[in-house]
Amino acid sequence: MAQKKQTQKKNSSQKAPVKAKAKQPAKGKGGKAAKPSLWTRFVNYLRGVRSEMQRVVWPTRRELINASLVVVGALVFFGVIIAIIDNIIIIPLDWIADLGS
């Protein structure tokens, strides 16, 4: 017990090493940090895009074909449904228009 207390006292009396101060960014107008140049911002943007594109999990050829077939099938299905609904609406309207002539 006494040894633990002495060890704790030694540890608490030791100070952590002092870190070097970080370099201050250049100041612009009004004391605000200077904005990087347009070219620097563009290059940083492209680096970020490249980094994100490397993280993307791209689909396999088979997954891509299956997803495309699902989309085309859904388009055909909803196209046929809309055509049927359109004809259901148009037929009575044509009949009403023929009554007037």
Side-chain angles (χ1 to χ4, degrees):
M1 283 283 237
Q3 247 182 348
K4 284 185 181 180
K5 287 183 182 182
Q6 288 176 355
T7 307
Q8 288 175 351
K9 285 182 184 180
K10 285 181 184 177
N11 288 342
S12 63
S13 65
Q14 294 174 352
K15 293 184 179 179
V18 177
K19 293 183 180 179
K21 290 185 178 180
K23 191 175 182 180
Q24 295 293 327
K27 299 283 182 173
K29 292 181 179 177
K32 294 182 181 177
K35 194 176 200 181
S37 70
L38 182 62
W39 181 253
T40 304
R41 288 184 285 155
F42 179 69
V43 169
N44 287 338
Y45 170 75
L46 290 180
R47 284 182 184 149
V49 168
R50 185 174 184 200
S51 171
E52 286 297 323
M53 293 301 283
Q54 289 174 346
R55 293 181 195 152
V56 172
V57 178
W58 297 101
T60 63
R61 183 178 179 91
R62 186 172 186 90
E63 290 172 338
L64 184 64
I65 290 171
N66 286 340
S68 298
L69 289 175
V70 168
V71 169
V72 170
L75 288 172
V76 169
F77 174 76
F78 286 109
V80 169
I81 295 296
I82 289 173
I84 291 170
I85 292 171
D86 186 47
N87 282 327
I88 289 173
I89 293 171
I90 292 293
I91 291 172
L93 290 177
D94 282 342
W95 181 71
I96 292 171
D98 287 341
L99 287 177
S101 49

